[in-house]
Amino acid sequence: MNLEIKNALDTLGRDWEAFKYADRREKSDIFDRINRAEKAAEFASSKAGRMLSGSGGSAISHDAAMHAKGYNDFLRKGHDIGLRELEAKALSIGTSADGGYALPEQIDRQVQAKIVTISPIRSIAKVVQVSTNDYKRLIDVRGTASGWVGETTARTATNTPQLFEAAAFMGEIYANATATQMSLDDIYFDAEAWIADSIGTEFARAEGASFISGNGTNQPKGFTAYTTAATADSSRAFGTIEHVPTGVSGAWPATDPGIYDLLVQTVYKLKAAHRQNAKWVMPASVCERLRKLKDGQNQPIWQPNMAADRPNLLLGYEVVEAEDMPAIAANSLSVAFGNFDAGYCIVDRVGTRLLRDPYTNKPNVQFYATKR
């Protein structure tokens, strides 16, 4: 065999090996794409099933499911063709000409669940959903008088009932979550869960503080921001909250029995009807102090939670830990006790709106969410 033939055979052998290697890689790539497509189809199918069943497992309408699917396309790609019409069919609200859309109901429920979980005040106060900013509530403050008379005795006029009009302090809360376009393009990235978690956490943080100490200007008015007085109900103006002074500037009484007596006094400042659903609200620093407190028989007055679903009790009433409550200081209101369901009302405009902005902060996509 001459050298020329040998070289030709060697070249042919190398080409054949290269062809087999390229063929194996191509087949492997094909199999990988098929596997990814099957997984993607399985993921989309399970996701569609979740949409059709809703977050709580109950069936939702076809229009609501289509709205959720259209919203997913809007989150990932910014495609909003037909989304406004789908919102109308799904009975969502809050759309406007600036490109914002209301969160689908099941995503909005996840946001609300996180707010309730993180913000303790929302979980114990009365929550009302309205469709207008002009929300007012009439409260009967009694005032009707009566008297005893004989059969033929003249009846003189008595005092008439009085009504108090309470208006909500309305504001708008917002969050500005950011994700990369690459993560949104990834089919395994759960955009809805990420949106619900990001918005829910920020809303809970901001509103939790405002429900306690908000000033009422473009935000809720917190219950510690209302006027307080140490006078009894009969001599205190309606809308003024009663406070119980410790008698020591910037501190509680020096001895623990003094603190115990003060807490008992606070409980019985509340009318019996409201004590049935009353709760303590305080920061962790105060919880630590009270957990060490003992009564006259040297027994702890704090009843610790012995089960995951049972609250801690203080003098028989549930303790709600809220870090936005002020620490112990001069003239601070560090502990609140009351029936929050009857005494504090949170007014929500139904629905959370979301605006998608892929231009301001490339290569990131910002999601500007608002709720009133």
Side-chain angles (χ1 to χ4, degrees), residues 28-319:
S28 177
D29 289 342
I30 292 173
F31 287 136
D32 286 343
R33 287 197 295 270
I34 292 174
N35 288 334
R36 286 197 298 269
E38 289 176 346
K39 290 180 179 179
E42 182 180 352
F43 178 83
S45 176
S46 64
K47 190 172 188 178
R50 291 197 303 272
M51 289 178 179
L52 288 171
S53 64
S55 61
S58 58
I60 62 175
S61 69
H62 174 74
D63 289 335
M66 293 301 293
H67 176 219
K69 182 178 182 302
Y71 208 88
N72 185 51
D73 291 338
F74 171 68
L75 291 179
R76 294 183 181 279
K77 300 293 185 181
H79 299 161
D80 62 352
I81 299 175
L83 184 54
R84 200 173 300 279
E85 291 75 13
L86 286 169
E87 283 204 333
K89 291 182 179 179
L91 301 179
S92 299
I93 70 164
T95 61
S96 70
D98 61 5
Y101 295 93
L103 288 182
E105 184 180 358
Q106 62 268 34
I107 302 178
D108 203 27
R109 280 200 299 265
Q110 294 175 46
V111 173
Q112 295 300 321
K114 181 164 286 291
I115 290 176
V116 170
T117 301
I118 299 178
S119 175
I121 306 305
R122 176 177 282 273
S123 65
I124 63 176
K126 179 182 290 296
V127 179
V128 177
Q129 292 188 330
V130 298
S131 57
T132 174
N133 275 349
D134 188 24
Y135 174 79
K136 293 181 175 61
R137 191 175 178 186
L138 289 177
I139 301 173
D140 183 1
V141 295
R142 309 302 178 186
T144 302
S146 61
W148 295 98
V149 294
E151 182 180 357
T152 60
T153 306
R155 272 67 169 170
T156 58
T158 62
N159 293 335
T160 57
Q162 299 177 14
L163 295 176
F164 178 85
E165 184 180 75
F169 293 86
M170 304 298 288
E172 184 172 86
I173 188 173
Y174 77 93
N176 201 10
T178 302
T180 64
Q181 184 60 60
M182 184 177 294
S183 66
L184 294 172
D185 289 340
D186 188 349
I187 194 167
Y188 300 108
F189 176 76
D190 194 339
E192 292 97 328
W194 170 75
I195 284 287
D197 185 76
S198 298
I199 296 173
T201 301
E202 176 56 25
F203 280 11
R205 182 202 62 78
E207 71 170 24
S210 67
F211 292 155
I212 292 174
S213 58
N215 60 19
T217 302
N218 297 325
Q219 61 179 284
K221 187 169 183 177
F223 57 83
T224 64
Y226 281 85
T227 303
T228 68
T231 52
D233 293 349
S234 58
S235 57
R236 195 174 67 253
F238 183 81
T240 300
I241 300 175
E242 184 174 4
H243 71 253
V244 180
T246 64
V248 182
S249 178
W252 283 352
T255 59
D256 282 347
I259 301 175
Y260 176 78
D261 294 344
L262 192 67
L263 293 171
V264 173
Q265 178 187 0
T266 302
V267 168
Y268 286 96
K269 288 287 185 180
L270 213 60
K271 288 183 171 65
H274 290 312
R275 286 201 301 269
Q276 296 176 11
N277 194 36
K279 294 176 176 61
W280 299 96
V281 178
M282 62 188 74
S285 58
V286 177
C287 289
E288 179 186 4
R289 175 75 183 275
L290 295 181
R291 191 155 190 168
K292 302 173 184 177
L293 187 63
K294 296 180 175 59
D295 61 18
Q297 284 72 45
N298 203 35
Q299 297 297 318
I301 66 170
W302 183 286
Q303 297 171 259
N305 177 6
M306 304 305 292
D309 58 342
R310 300 296 297 274
N312 294 316
L313 301 178
L314 177 63
L315 297 178
Y317 296 95
E318 179 180 345
V319 178

Side-chain angles (χ1 to χ4, degrees), residues 330-357:
N331 299 316
S332 74
L333 301 171
S334 302
V335 176
F337 180 72
N339 181 349
F340 286 83
D341 184 65
Y344 194 74
C345 182
I346 298 170
V347 179
D348 283 338
R349 285 292 303 272
V350 182
T352 304
R353 287 182 62 248
L354 193 71
L355 180 67
R356 188 182 193 275
D357 177 12

